[in-house]
Amino acid sequence: GIQVEQSPPDLILQEGANSTLRCNFSDSVNNLQWFHQNPWGQLINLFYIPSGTKQNGRLSATTVATERYSLLYISSSQTTDSGVYFCAVELRGSYIPTFGRGTSLIVHP
Amino acid sequence: NAGVMQNPRHLVRRRGQEARLRCSPMKGHSHVYWYRQLPEEGLKFMVYLQKENIIDESGMPKERFSAEFPKEGPSILRIQQVVRGDSAAYFCASSPGQILPTGELFFGEGSRLTVL
């Protein structure tokens, strides 16, 4: 099956710092999503981004499908950004999104 | 526009009992996915269903676990004769799409099962 690798596994930031999270995948994909799991366990949709670049406030994401990676940028981080960030990719023709192991982010005030 | 609804949010069972977890997809969504999350781990796919059909159950243990998505009512994940290793958060997601899913998942808040 498809391999999804996220890096770094853990990240600690001071409030106001910027960061880049990476998601590498091993095969051609139909779809890619980024999620934020907050400290209460809720999974929040951030981006549905099979290719290209999208921005939403302080967050933006870029997927380069031909090179099999996606990046999530967090600018001017806030303590509420803490949690785990997951990417989920769907192998072409499979209809089953596969999750990476996530990046655990802690933002200190 | 209600999101994906899961219940119960928390469930405690003793070893050997049955657990039933329910999921109502977003309005208009006919594709339902169940994932399991163990502590400190990512989400592992269990089963993908459309109305009245199991499409892919390759991630679901063959024994004790079953899932359904009837024509009327919520999708149900059933775990019989629970063991301590079944303790986890079980997440349901739905996806839009008439026949095929679009691939965009919308998650419920999860059901946290604790087996004593």
Side-chain angles (χ1 to χ4, degrees):
Chain A
I2 193 167
Q3 304 297 316
V4 183
E5 294 184 0
Q6 291 188 242
S7 60
D10 301 282
L11 188 57
I12 299 174
L13 299 175
Q14 206 66 32
E15 203 167 25
N18 302 328
S19 63
T20 301
L21 282 58
R22 187 177 182 102
C23 174
N24 290 339
F25 41 93
S26 59
D27 212 330
S28 300
V29 296
N30 273 338
N31 298 300
L32 187 144
Q33 274 189 272
W34 283 97
F35 296 90
H36 173 214
Q37 187 169 37
N38 65 22
W40 295 271
Q42 295 175 309
L43 282 156
I44 299 159
N45 289 36
L46 297 178
F47 295 102
Y48 173 66
I49 185 167
S51 62
T53 297
K54 290 186 178 180
Q55 178 152 10
N56 184 3
R58 297 182 295 105
L59 274 57
S60 63
T62 294
T63 296
V64 184
T66 53
E67 297 188 21
R68 300 182 182 173
Y69 72 88
S70 182
L71 302 174
L72 177 69
Y73 306 95
I74 305 174
S75 64
S76 304
S77 58
Q78 300 176 358
T79 56
T80 51
D81 295 333
S82 296
V84 183
Y85 290 80
F86 291 104
C87 73
V89 302
E90 181 184 298
L91 184 67
R92 193 157 287 173
S94 84
Y95 309 115
I96 307 297
T98 298
F99 279 74
R101 294 182 65 87
T103 291
S104 176
L105 173 64
I106 298 174
V107 180
H108 288 301
Chain B
N1 190 14
V4 177
M5 304 299 291
Q6 287 190 250
N7 67 82
R9 293 290 310 282
H10 300 275
L11 184 62
V12 179
R13 285 286 178 267
R14 297 192 180 280
R15 281 179 295 170
Q17 291 184 320
E18 179 179 288
R20 282 193 186 217
L21 310 176
R22 289 175 289 277
C23 169
S24 295
M26 286 182 72
K27 188 175 181 180
H29 290 193
S30 60
H31 306 274
V32 166
Y33 299 78
W34 286 93
Y35 286 81
R36 177 164 64 177
Q37 185 177 34
L38 296 171
E40 309 300 324
E41 293 193 10
L43 281 80
K44 302 294 185 190
F45 166 75
M46 298 182 74
V47 61
Y48 160 42
L49 310 102
Q50 279 184 278
K51 279 288 185 182
E52 300 185 272
N53 290 304
I54 296 175
I55 308 300
D56 188 320
E57 56 183 349
S58 59
M60 198 158 66
K62 299 261 186 290
E63 296 180 358
R64 302 188 299 107
F65 286 74
S66 62
E68 63 176 8
F69 189 14
K71 187 176 180 181
E72 302 290 338
S75 175
I76 296 176
L77 180 67
R78 181 182 178 206
I79 312 172
Q80 295 177 288
Q81 299 172 349
V82 296
V83 300
R84 288 215 174 108
D86 297 333
S87 296
Y90 292 84
F91 286 93
C92 170
S94 69
S95 181
Q98 292 288 351
I99 299 174
L100 298 175
T102 64
E104 187 172 11
L105 297 182
F106 296 85
F107 278 91
E109 295 193 333
S111 291
R112 282 149 184 84
L113 172 65
T114 301
V115 180
L116 301 178

mmCIF file of all heavy atoms in Angstrom, chain B residues 1 3 13 23 37-38 64 66 73 88-90 92-93 98 112-113 115:
data_model
loop_
_atom_site.group_PDB
_atom_site.id
_atom_site.type_symbol
_atom_site.label_atom_id
_atom_site.label_comp_id
_atom_site.label_asym_id
_atom_site.label_seq_id
_atom_site.Cartn_x
_atom_site.Cartn_y
_atom_site.Cartn_z
ATOM 1 N N ASN B 1 -26.535 23.225 9.160
ATOM 2 C CA ASN B 1 -25.996 22.104 8.398
ATOM 3 C C ASN B 1 -25.158 21.265 9.342
ATOM 4 O O ASN B 1 -23.993 21.544 9.580
ATOM 5 C CB ASN B 1 -25.169 22.639 7.231
ATOM 6 C CG ASN B 1 -24.797 21.538 6.265
ATOM 7 O OD1 ASN B 1 -25.357 20.459 6.315
ATOM 8 N ND2 ASN B 1 -23.855 21.802 5.395
ATOM 9 N N GLY B 3 -22.902 18.552 11.151
ATOM 10 C CA GLY B 3 -21.750 17.781 10.731
ATOM 11 C C GLY B 3 -21.981 16.306 10.984
ATOM 12 O O GLY B 3 -23.102 15.857 11.219
ATOM 13 N N ARG B 13 -16.761 -0.411 28.707
ATOM 14 C CA ARG B 13 -17.246 -1.781 28.682
ATOM 15 C C ARG B 13 -16.276 -2.681 29.457
ATOM 16 O O ARG B 13 -15.079 -2.409 29.541
ATOM 17 C CB ARG B 13 -17.354 -2.297 27.236
ATOM 18 C CG ARG B 13 -18.539 -1.732 26.481
ATOM 19 C CD ARG B 13 -19.835 -2.346 26.939
ATOM 20 N NE ARG B 13 -21.011 -1.808 26.268
ATOM 21 C CZ ARG B 13 -21.738 -0.808 26.728
ATOM 22 N NH1 ARG B 13 -21.413 -0.184 27.846
ATOM 23 N NH2 ARG B 13 -22.795 -0.418 26.069
ATOM 24 N N CYS B 23 -22.842 6.304 13.881
ATOM 25 C CA CYS B 23 -22.362 7.438 13.099
ATOM 26 C C CYS B 23 -23.411 7.864 12.092
ATOM 27 O O CYS B 23 -23.830 7.058 11.249
ATOM 28 C CB CYS B 23 -21.079 7.059 12.362
ATOM 29 S SG CYS B 23 -20.551 8.274 11.127
ATOM 30 N N GLN B 37 -8.023 5.035 16.246
ATOM 31 C CA GLN B 37 -6.812 5.724 16.679
ATOM 32 C C GLN B 37 -6.427 5.234 18.070
ATOM 33 O O GLN B 37 -7.168 5.436 19.031
ATOM 34 C CB GLN B 37 -7.014 7.244 16.697
ATOM 35 C CG GLN B 37 -5.734 8.006 17.020
ATOM 36 C CD GLN B 37 -5.923 9.505 16.961
ATOM 37 O OE1 GLN B 37 -6.985 10.029 17.298
ATOM 38 N NE2 GLN B 37 -4.880 10.231 16.534
ATOM 39 N N LEU B 38 -5.274 4.598 18.134
ATOM 40 C CA LEU B 38 -4.720 4.206 19.430
ATOM 41 C C LEU B 38 -3.978 5.399 20.011
ATOM 42 O O LEU B 38 -3.560 6.297 19.267
ATOM 43 C CB LEU B 38 -3.788 3.007 19.265
ATOM 44 C CG LEU B 38 -4.475 1.735 18.775
ATOM 45 C CD1 LEU B 38 -3.451 0.678 18.430
ATOM 46 C CD2 LEU B 38 -5.438 1.213 19.829
ATOM 47 N N ARG B 64 -14.896 -10.616 15.542
ATOM 48 C CA ARG B 64 -15.512 -9.760 16.571
ATOM 49 C C ARG B 64 -15.950 -8.394 16.062
ATOM 50 O O ARG B 64 -16.730 -7.731 16.722
ATOM 51 C CB ARG B 64 -14.560 -9.561 17.777
ATOM 52 C CG ARG B 64 -14.136 -10.848 18.459
ATOM 53 C CD ARG B 64 -13.362 -10.590 19.745
ATOM 54 N NE ARG B 64 -12.129 -9.827 19.504
ATOM 55 C CZ ARG B 64 -11.963 -8.539 19.838
ATOM 56 N NH1 ARG B 64 -12.946 -7.854 20.394
ATOM 57 N NH2 ARG B 64 -10.816 -7.934 19.601
ATOM 58 N N SER B 66 -17.736 -5.883 13.187
ATOM 59 C CA SER B 66 -18.612 -5.821 12.023
ATOM 60 C C SER B 66 -19.107 -4.397 11.870
ATOM 61 O O SER B 66 -19.082 -3.599 12.818
ATOM 62 C CB SER B 66 -19.786 -6.791 12.169
ATOM 63 O OG SER B 66 -20.583 -6.440 13.289
ATOM 64 N N GLY B 73 -31.155 5.161 8.798
ATOM 65 C CA GLY B 73 -30.470 5.169 10.078
ATOM 66 C C GLY B 73 -28.970 5.284 9.949
ATOM 67 O O GLY B 73 -28.408 5.322 8.840
ATOM 68 N N ALA B 88 -9.688 2.419 22.422
ATOM 69 C CA ALA B 88 -9.181 3.340 21.402
ATOM 70 C C ALA B 88 -10.246 4.388 21.137
ATOM 71 O O ALA B 88 -11.365 4.313 21.655
ATOM 72 C CB ALA B 88 -8.868 2.596 20.101
ATOM 73 N N ALA B 89 -9.876 5.366 20.317
ATOM 74 C CA ALA B 89 -10.861 6.308 19.797
ATOM 75 C C ALA B 89 -11.263 5.831 18.405
ATOM 76 O O ALA B 89 -10.396 5.511 17.580
ATOM 77 C CB ALA B 89 -10.284 7.714 19.729
ATOM 78 N N TYR B 90 -12.549 5.755 18.165
ATOM 79 C CA TYR B 90 -13.070 5.315 16.875
ATOM 80 C C TYR B 90 -13.716 6.526 16.200
ATOM 81 O O TYR B 90 -14.661 7.122 16.719
ATOM 82 C CB TYR B 90 -14.075 4.182 17.064
ATOM 83 C CG TYR B 90 -13.414 2.921 17.568
ATOM 84 C CD1 TYR B 90 -13.168 2.734 18.926
ATOM 85 C CD2 TYR B 90 -13.007 1.930 16.686
ATOM 86 C CE1 TYR B 90 -12.538 1.593 19.388
ATOM 87 C CE2 TYR B 90 -12.379 0.778 17.137
ATOM 88 C CZ TYR B 90 -12.144 0.619 18.494
ATOM 89 O OH TYR B 90 -11.516 -0.517 18.946
ATOM 90 N N CYS B 92 -15.482 8.307 12.827
ATOM 91 C CA CYS B 92 -16.250 8.123 11.612
ATOM 92 C C CYS B 92 -16.071 9.366 10.752
ATOM 93 O O CYS B 92 -15.987 10.488 11.267
ATOM 94 C CB CYS B 92 -17.716 7.931 11.974
ATOM 95 S SG CYS B 92 -18.860 7.979 10.596
ATOM 96 N N ALA B 93 -15.995 9.162 9.443
ATOM 97 C CA ALA B 93 -15.921 10.277 8.505
ATOM 98 C C ALA B 93 -16.896 10.011 7.370
ATOM 99 O O ALA B 93 -17.158 8.858 7.022
ATOM 100 C CB ALA B 93 -14.506 10.438 7.956
ATOM 101 N N GLN B 98 -21.848 11.404 -5.557
ATOM 102 C CA GLN B 98 -23.069 10.678 -5.919
ATOM 103 C C GLN B 98 -22.831 9.181 -5.941
ATOM 104 O O GLN B 98 -23.509 8.417 -5.267
ATOM 105 C CB GLN B 98 -23.563 11.140 -7.302
ATOM 106 C CG GLN B 98 -24.077 12.567 -7.333
ATOM 107 C CD GLN B 98 -25.422 12.704 -6.632
ATOM 108 O OE1 GLN B 98 -26.043 11.708 -6.259
ATOM 109 N NE2 GLN B 98 -25.858 13.921 -6.411
ATOM 110 N N ARG B 112 -14.870 7.306 22.202
ATOM 111 C CA ARG B 112 -13.735 6.767 22.949
ATOM 112 C C ARG B 112 -14.174 5.583 23.776
ATOM 113 O O ARG B 112 -14.967 5.731 24.708
ATOM 114 C CB ARG B 112 -13.116 7.876 23.805
ATOM 115 C CG ARG B 112 -12.245 8.780 22.958
ATOM 116 C CD ARG B 112 -12.185 10.217 23.427
ATOM 117 N NE ARG B 112 -11.402 11.017 22.480
ATOM 118 C CZ ARG B 112 -11.890 11.551 21.376
ATOM 119 N NH1 ARG B 112 -13.165 11.416 21.068
ATOM 120 N NH2 ARG B 112 -11.120 12.256 20.563
ATOM 121 N N LEU B 113 -13.646 4.421 23.382
ATOM 122 C CA LEU B 113 -14.003 3.163 24.035
ATOM 123 C C LEU B 113 -12.924 2.804 25.041
ATOM 124 O O LEU B 113 -11.731 2.771 24.704
ATOM 125 C CB LEU B 113 -14.140 2.054 23.001
ATOM 126 C CG LEU B 113 -14.334 0.632 23.550
ATOM 127 C CD1 LEU B 113 -15.659 0.509 24.297
ATOM 128 C CD2 LEU B 113 -14.257 -0.400 22.419
ATOM 129 N N VAL B 115 -12.058 -0.301 27.671
ATOM 130 C CA VAL B 115 -12.404 -1.659 28.100
ATOM 131 C C VAL B 115 -11.692 -1.950 29.413
ATOM 132 O O VAL B 115 -10.456 -1.883 29.492
ATOM 133 C CB VAL B 115 -12.014 -2.695 27.029
ATOM 134 C CG1 VAL B 115 -12.378 -4.100 27.500
ATOM 135 C CG2 VAL B 115 -12.706 -2.384 25.710
#
